[in-house]
Amino acid sequence: MNYSFVIPVYNSEETLEKLIFEISKNIKVYSQSYEIILIDDCSNDGSHKKLKELKRKNKKIKLFRNKFNLGQHKSIQIGLKKTKGKKIFIMDCDLQDDPKYFSNFINKYNKKKNTVVGLANKKSYRKGIFSYIFWSILDFVSNKKFHLNITNFTLIHSTEVKKIIKTKNFIFLYGELIINDIKIDFINITKKKRKNGVSAYNFIKCLLIGLNILKKYL
């Protein structure tokens, strides 16, 4: 298996068919050997029904569902444990991570064989003032580079995945890359506008995640 895609899903019924179509269209340029691993994080809309329908039509899809809502990054860890590909893309499910960038990720990876992470340009990925302050403080006090506009859009080799899936307290994908001393290259991307719904990260959830990040990664 050449490529695996790990995608946590939560209440994204309207975007899933388009997402699978775009992934398949863009990766087929590089390989026909791939799998799409979808982790339904206990969605309460019609996402799971839609995922089962897509799975029946597409043998590349592997579908799993959490018994409880575990959060985006824990779902990523679960998905990574199920991959068989040599190289793994990690993406969001809401079409903000555009599959057209696969070529940029792959070309960057082929230069040094380092993990590649997307950095969203500021116009397409504006964070609130509290988020800006938090990430700036974390970047300063941790003596590690926590970019303000870091995304989950990542290309990583299976040998590196083995290093980060063992942790018992998987809070934040990029944080796991950092503390496991994984070499990272960055590419600039433009985040698409969210097609449907709003972010699941409200102020309280962001605050709790932030405190856990500070405890673990400092």
Side-chain angles (χ1 to χ4, degrees):
M1 184 79 64
N2 290 334
Y3 290 94
S4 295
F5 294 86
V6 172
I7 306 168
V9 175
Y10 183 72
N11 289 357
S12 298
E13 177 183 3
E14 301 299 323
T15 63
L16 294 171
E17 188 166 2
K18 175 71 170 175
L19 173 67
I20 299 303
F21 173 80
E22 291 295 333
I23 288 173
S24 300
K25 181 181 75 172
N26 284 276
I27 199 58
K28 283 178 180 177
V29 176
Y30 295 94
S31 178
Q32 293 286 343
S33 177
Y34 65 94
E35 62 181 1
I36 303 173
I37 297 173
L38 299 159
I39 309 295
D40 180 11
D41 192 22
C42 207
S43 296
N44 53 34
D45 66 349
S47 291
H48 195 66
K49 181 180 178 181
K50 187 66 176 181
L51 289 170
K52 289 194 291 184
E53 175 187 322
L54 292 169
K55 185 179 184 299
R56 285 194 296 268
K57 297 177 182 179
N58 190 334
K59 294 181 180 180
K60 301 289 189 182
I61 292 176
K62 295 181 180 179
L63 175 59
F64 304 91
R65 191 181 196 191
N66 297 336
K67 292 182 179 180
F68 307 98
N69 182 266
L70 300 176
Q72 184 180 37
H73 292 272
K74 186 64 179 177
S75 296
I76 288 173
Q77 183 187 28
I78 291 169
L80 288 173
K81 290 180 179 180
K82 300 180 183 298
T83 56
K84 294 181 179 178
K86 293 181 180 178
K87 287 170 278 190
I88 296 97
F89 274 102
I90 301 162
M91 304 174 63
D92 290 345
C93 67
D94 56 8
L95 288 176
Q96 287 191 285
D97 293 341
D98 196 333
K100 74 176 184 180
Y101 287 110
F102 290 167
S103 58
N104 302 63
F105 277 88
I106 292 169
N107 291 337
K108 187 73 170 181
Y109 174 84
N110 287 339
K111 290 181 180 179
K112 296 182 182 178
K113 309 299 182 185
N114 292 338
T115 293
V116 183
V117 176
L119 286 180
N121 66 53
K122 293 180 180 179
K123 289 184 179 180
S124 68
Y125 196 46
R126 294 180 178 177
K127 295 188 176 183
I129 185 64
F130 292 108
S131 179
Y132 178 83
I133 292 171
F134 170 76
W135 287 109
S136 298
I137 292 173
L138 182 62
D139 184 44
F140 177 76
V141 301
S142 68
N143 200 30
K144 299 179 178 70
K145 193 62 180 176
F146 283 89
H147 294 272
L148 175 62
N149 285 331
I150 202 74
T151 72
N152 291 327
F153 204 173
T154 298
L155 175 59
I156 183 171
H157 195 273
S158 57
T159 55
E160 306 288 22
V161 166
K162 291 176 182 177
K163 298 177 183 178
I164 66 173
I165 61 174
K166 297 177 182 178
T167 181
K168 295 181 179 179
N169 190 24
F170 194 107
I171 299 172
F172 177 49
L173 173 62
Y174 182 65
E176 297 302 325
L177 300 178
I178 291 293
I179 64 173
N180 282 282
D181 296 320
I182 292 174
K183 293 181 180 180
I184 301 171
D185 288 326
F186 298 96
I187 62 167
N188 293 316
I189 63 174
T190 297
K191 294 278 280 188
K192 281 188 171 182
K193 290 184 179 180
R194 189 183 303 275
K195 295 292 183 181
N196 298 91
V198 297
S199 173
Y201 290 91
N202 56 36
F203 175 76
I204 297 299
K205 184 177 286 189
C206 287
L207 179 61
L208 292 174
I209 291 173
L211 292 173
N212 285 328
I213 287 173
L214 285 170
K215 286 192 292 184
K216 180 167 184 179
Y217 301 123
L218 292 188

